[in-house]
Every structure is written in C-alpha cells, then in structure tokens.
Amino acid sequence: GTGGTFSGVAEALKTAHPEVKIVLTEPAEAPLVSSGTAQERNESGAPSSAHPAWKPHPIQGWTPNFIPLVCERGLKFKDEVVLVDGKDAIATAVQLAQREGIFCGISGGATVWSAIEVCKRAPPGSTVLALIPDTAERYLSTPMFDGIEADMSAEEIAIFESTPLGK
C-alpha cells in the first residue's frame, strides 16, 4: 500500500548489486508514477491533494489516490514500470491458486503477471524475483472469487469423503 516494500527491497538490491534491474508495477487503470505528474505535497511531505492520474481500480492494496512519500523516495531505484490491467491481475491470482497452490491476493496476481511479462523479454539465463507480500484471505468478498460457491458441490463432497479426513 505505501510502497515501502518496493523502496526498501529496491534500495537493498541496488546497493548490493547495482546491475539489478528494478521493475515497479502499477495498475493500468491508475498509472500515477507512469503519468510523470509529480505528487503535490504540503510542508510535512504528506499529499496535499489526490493525484490527478488516479482512477478506481480492482488491485486492492495498491495505488491509493496519491503517491506515498516512502514510494516516491524509492523511485530513483526503478529501471522500468510495467502497467497491469486489473482483469489480468485477478485472473493470474486465481490461476496461482488453482495451478500452483499459491493463495495470494489481487496484488500478488498483478505482481506475478508483471514478472511473467518481464520474463518474456529477459535475456536467457536471467533471474526474475516476484515478491508477493499478501494473502487471498482478505479478498474473499472481491471479484477474484466470483463464481466460487461457498458450499461444496456433490462432486467435491464425494472427493472429500474419499480422503482419510473425510471418512
């Protein structure tokens, strides 16, 4: 939410390994950093107004209607910004749960989607790190879980009952 993970990790990695490329990701629907428009601030450094590039987006936990100061201070470490559509973030989070057993939130899906895009154009042998600092527990009432029924179907009950726990 504040960009503190981005800023702290980016600074640590760039300090230890200046050749590392730092990629920041933000919602395509609310490209505050990518807009190039500076965040207006008061004397204390707090935002004095909403950022003009902000629009509602489904990636909860990312991009409030301002650029947090801790994030802004870390922008000097970024090499690139990748924009991710909210629908892609949700779809990737669902795929991570279904295919990999990684129960992350929408922002985690956005992070992994962006990492996959980076991998598509990275030189062979590159290492790409995608840090997922959230869990899907907080998103049970969001569009990410549309279509998932609260109760088990007859087929799911039969599968459960075939396990040692279900007997």
Side-chain angles (χ1 to χ4, degrees), residues 12-82:
L13 288 174
K14 280 286 194 181
T15 300
H17 301 282
E19 73 281 4
V20 166
K21 301 293 182 226
I22 302 296
V23 179
L24 176 68
T25 303
E26 64 179 347
E29 299 91 344
L32 277 57
V33 172
S34 300
S35 74
T37 302
Q39 175 66 55
E40 294 182 14
R41 300 190 180 283
N42 60 29
E43 293 99 33
S44 71
S48 59
S49 64
H51 195 282
W54 189 85
K55 301 229 179 339
H57 61 86
I59 306 175
Q60 295 181 4
W62 273 16
T63 314
N65 67 347
F66 61 93
I67 299 173
L69 188 57
V70 68
C71 180
E72 186 175 295
R73 289 179 176 153
L75 293 177
K76 63 187 172 197
F77 300 110
K78 76 166 174 50
D79 295 291
E80 178 184 357
V81 177
V82 172

